[in-house]
């Protein structure tokens, strides 16, 4: 997947001033389910979990919109190259948290080997405002979008994240959040990937507003949120479940926004792979007898429908909750996503 700088030449748009960030060492995955009490303001600690040449994972807090938000940050091993690093923002699913997605996906291992930063933000009430409809629990439907923007800006400034190589991914509700960021902030991201997450529909609809590479990975036998989408989900006593497009319609919406042509579908071992090639910039006019420059077909929107897979992260070693269906081993979603982000970028 190639960066769409050649498609979107808009500058990165950042939110206003941010307040102080408090950083704590991460005391292991299992113990990281809730933020530790805030310590005195300080820089990143070097204690806990670090090895030679590797900065420890940290739990940090960020003041946004008058409130405090949390995230886990994984830094890759120190190397000779101290330049800008790609950044992956990874959103957990509804009812889960950053540590759960970290264990489920092991993104930090694969991303660290590629020299990428990974930030796992924590959702309020263990969820995300992936749709545009206000609810009693989420009266400000744009809050999580602004938090994500602020987090990216902060990591660009403090961790030398590359603003031209920022990616978003997530699982389930977190996958829908990643798609919302790609749809509404296409100039902010170089790509997005969703596992078991679809675009919100109905009164909470999110519509792509510009070209951005997107990958949707979905289980063909998802019993939690069906492959065909959920136009009329059942009521939930705690928080309304938002309706959604089908997995294919979610991907196709990004393809249309990117000016893509007709898709091509191939049957692979264990999954079906559909690809839309996004339109590049208009072909340059011929000059001095030279032929016009063609559009660049490298950037894509892709849909992977995984056979014999439920509402799960393909390739994960973590046993899913009862009722979520099987986990396919025909595909490693983590490597597939990171390859999609980094290929030819």
């Amino acid at each position: 997947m190639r960066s769409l700088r050649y498609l979107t030449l808009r500058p990165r748009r950042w939110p206003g001033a941010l307040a102080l960030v408090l950083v704590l060492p991460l005391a292991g995955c299992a113990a990281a389910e809730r933020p530790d009490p805030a310590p005195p303001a300080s820089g990143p600690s070097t204690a806990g979990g670090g090895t030679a040449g590797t900065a420890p994972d940290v739990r940090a807090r960020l003041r946004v919109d008058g409130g405090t938000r949390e995230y886990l940050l994984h830094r890759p091993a120190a190397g000779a190259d101290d330049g800008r690093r790609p950044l992956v923002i990874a959103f957990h699913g509804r009812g889960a948290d950053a540590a759960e997605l970290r264990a489920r996906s092991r993104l930090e291992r694969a991303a660290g080997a590629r020299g990428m930063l990974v930030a796992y933000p924590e959702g309020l009430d263990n969820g995300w405002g992936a749709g545009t409809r206000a609810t009693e629990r989420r009266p400000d439907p744009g809050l999580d979008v602004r938090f994500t923007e602020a987090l990216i800006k902060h990591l660009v400034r403090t961790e030398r994240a590359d603003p031209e190589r920022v990616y978003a991914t997530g699982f389930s509700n977190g996958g829908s959040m990643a798609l919302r960021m790609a749809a509404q902030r296409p100039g902010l991201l170089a790509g997005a990937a969703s596992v078991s997450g679809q675009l919100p529909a109905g009164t909470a609809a999110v519509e792509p507003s510009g070209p951005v590479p997107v990958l949707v990975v979905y289980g063909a036998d998802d019993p939690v949120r069906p492959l065909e989408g959920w136009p009329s989900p059942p009521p939930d006593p705690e928080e309304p479940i938002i309706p959604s497009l089908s997995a294919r319609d979610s991907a196709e919406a990004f393809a249309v926004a990117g000016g893509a042509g007709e898709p091509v579908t191939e049957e692979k071992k264990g999954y079906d792979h559909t690809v839309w090639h996004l339109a590049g910039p208009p072909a340059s006019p011929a000059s001095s007898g030279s032929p016009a420059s063609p559009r660049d077909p490298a950037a894509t929107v892709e849909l992977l429908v995984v056979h014999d897979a439920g509402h799960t992260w393909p390739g994960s070693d973590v046993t899913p909750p009862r009722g979520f269906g099987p986990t396919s081993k025909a595909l490693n979603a983590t490597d597939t996503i990171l390859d999609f982000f980094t290929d030819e970028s």
Side-chain angles (χ1 to χ4, degrees), residues 23-26 44 55-60 70-76 87-89 98 102 108 116-121 151 154-155 158-159 161:
V23 182
L24 295 172
L26 174 64
D57 291 356
V58 296
R59 175 176 292 280
E70 296 90 19
Y71 64 96
L72 303 182
L73 177 67
H74 176 81
R75 300 184 181 100
L87 168 65
V88 178
I89 305 293
R102 189 178 188 272
E108 82 289 346
M116 306 172 84
L117 294 158
V118 182
Y120 300 91
L151 177 58
H154 173 71
L155 296 176
T158 62
E159 299 289 339

Side-chain angles (χ1 to χ4, degrees), residues 256-325:
V256 170
E262 291 298 313
V264 175
T265 299
E266 292 183 83
E267 292 185 9
K268 302 290 184 71
K269 186 177 181 180
Y271 62 95
D272 296 331
H273 186 192
T274 300
V275 179
W276 292 261
H277 288 281
L278 301 184
S284 61
S287 61
S288 303
S290 300
S293 171
R295 293 175 180 265
D296 190 326
T300 59
V301 170
E302 303 185 22
L303 170 65
L304 276 60
V305 177
V306 186
H307 305 163
D308 303 317
H311 196 73
T312 52
W313 187 280
S316 177
D317 292 328
V318 174
T319 302
R322 179 173 296 182
F324 273 43

Side-chain angles (χ1 to χ4, degrees), residues 41-56:
S42 65
S45 169
T46 57
T51 58
T54 305

Side-chain angles (χ1 to χ4, degrees), residues 152 252 255 299:
I152 292 170
E252 193 164 36

Side-chain angles (χ1 to χ4, degrees), residues 184-246:
Q184 297 188 323
R185 299 294 187 273
L188 184 65
L189 300 180
S194 170
V195 178
S196 299
Q198 300 159 325
L199 272 177
T203 58
V206 172
E207 298 181 2
S209 57
V212 60
V214 165
L215 171 66
V216 176
V217 180
Y218 222 90
D221 303 316
D222 191 325
V224 175
R225 188 172 284 273
L227 177 69
E228 295 78 15
W230 216 350
S232 300
D236 186 292
E238 294 185 1
E239 182 173 9
I241 299 174
I242 59 176
S244 64
L245 300 177
S246 71

Side-chain angles (χ1 to χ4, degrees), residues 6 10 13 24 111-112 144 160 162 174 176 182 199 245 253 278 281 325:
Y6 67 92
R10 293 167 291 182
R13 296 183 177 87
L24 295 172
D144 288 331
R160 294 189 57 77
D162 186 348
S176 294
L199 272 177
L245 300 177
L278 301 184

